[in-house]
Amino acid sequence: MIAGLLLAAGAGRRYGRPKALVEVDGEPLVRRGVRLLIDGGCAPVHVVLGAGADQVPELPGAVPVRHDRWPDGLGSSLLRGLASLPADVPAVVVVLVDQPLLSPVAVRRVREAYIVGGIVVATYGGRPGHPILLGRPTWPLLDRYAVGDRGARDLLRDRPDLVVEVPCDDVGGPVDVDTPADLLRLRRSAAYQPPG
């Protein structure tokens, strides 16, 4: 089974509070991200938590992973999340907590395109985004790439031989919610679909 990994550890400095706790349509982004991965067919689902971890609500169906070194950046959260996964997990789908337009359909597409040992990345307008699937053989490569606020992007650039791209423009978007103004713009956009 392909696992899911939600990176939700940051402080959300530009937002003014941890984005994991920000609500969209009455649902915290962290719960929305867990639901995205579960609905996309991932199991187990691990959630890397840092800033505001003690305020995060129950996450049914997910394993919370405490990351005390979250100030080191997204890269350290990615490595912490990968290290938390069971040894028999062959691959993991990674998403970020602050991208509420990601779709379970996109998660399923990257899962279905998985080739053993490779990387599958959703693209939007021809540009790589999330979700991204990382086959276990690629995880050790990330030790040199996942540094500071960098995750797997430079690995994709340097090792195109490992990468399969899957267009997902028709099933969502990679918009980040970094500020309250971003969330207002998102809610007004044509791409936004409230649940239900």
Side-chain angles (χ1 to χ4, degrees):
M1 185 62 94
I2 293 175
L5 180 60
L6 176 64
L7 302 183
R13 287 179 195 88
R14 285 184 285 169
Y15 202 96
R17 63 185 172 124
K19 287 184 276 185
L21 305 175
V22 171
E23 292 193 0
V24 175
D25 299 316
E27 180 180 40
L29 284 175
V30 66
R31 273 201 179 151
R32 193 178 185 102
V34 167
R35 187 166 45 83
L36 166 75
L37 290 166
I38 291 172
D39 291 353
C42 295
V45 172
H46 285 205
V47 182
V48 180
L49 300 171
D54 295 334
Q55 300 162 37
V56 169
E58 289 281 320
L59 299 173
V63 176
V65 177
R66 188 75 176 242
H67 183 43
D68 293 332
R69 292 182 50 199
W70 63 265
D72 291 348
L74 176 112
S76 73
S77 293
L78 173 59
L79 295 177
R80 173 71 177 101
L82 294 175
S84 76
L85 294 167
D88 61 348
V89 167
V92 62
V93 175
V94 181
V95 295
L96 307 179
V97 77
D98 64 352
Q99 296 184 326
L101 293 185
L102 294 183
S103 154
V105 177
V107 172
R108 285 193 290 275
R109 282 186 188 171
V110 298
R111 283 181 47 245
E112 288 163 4
Y114 173 56
I115 297 170
V116 174
I119 297 171
V120 184
V121 61
T123 63
Y124 304 87
R127 299 178 58 132
H130 286 86
I132 179 172
L133 182 148
L134 300 167
R136 184 177 281 274
T138 69
W139 299 1
L141 301 177
L142 288 163
D143 287 344
R144 64 182 282 235
Y145 290 100
V147 177
D149 281 325
R150 297 178 111 28
R153 182 170 308 226
D154 293 340
L155 174 60
L156 302 182
R157 182 198 64 220
D158 289 353
R159 293 296 306 271
D161 57 303
L162 296 175
V163 180
V164 174
E165 295 185 346
V166 178
C168 291
D169 308 76
D170 60 324
V171 294
V175 176
D176 290 341
V177 174
D178 289 328
T179 67
D182 290 343
L183 184 56
L184 283 173
R185 274 192 297 277
L186 174 75
R187 286 187 169 136
R188 293 179 184 142
S189 75
Y192 178 68
Q193 296 291 322

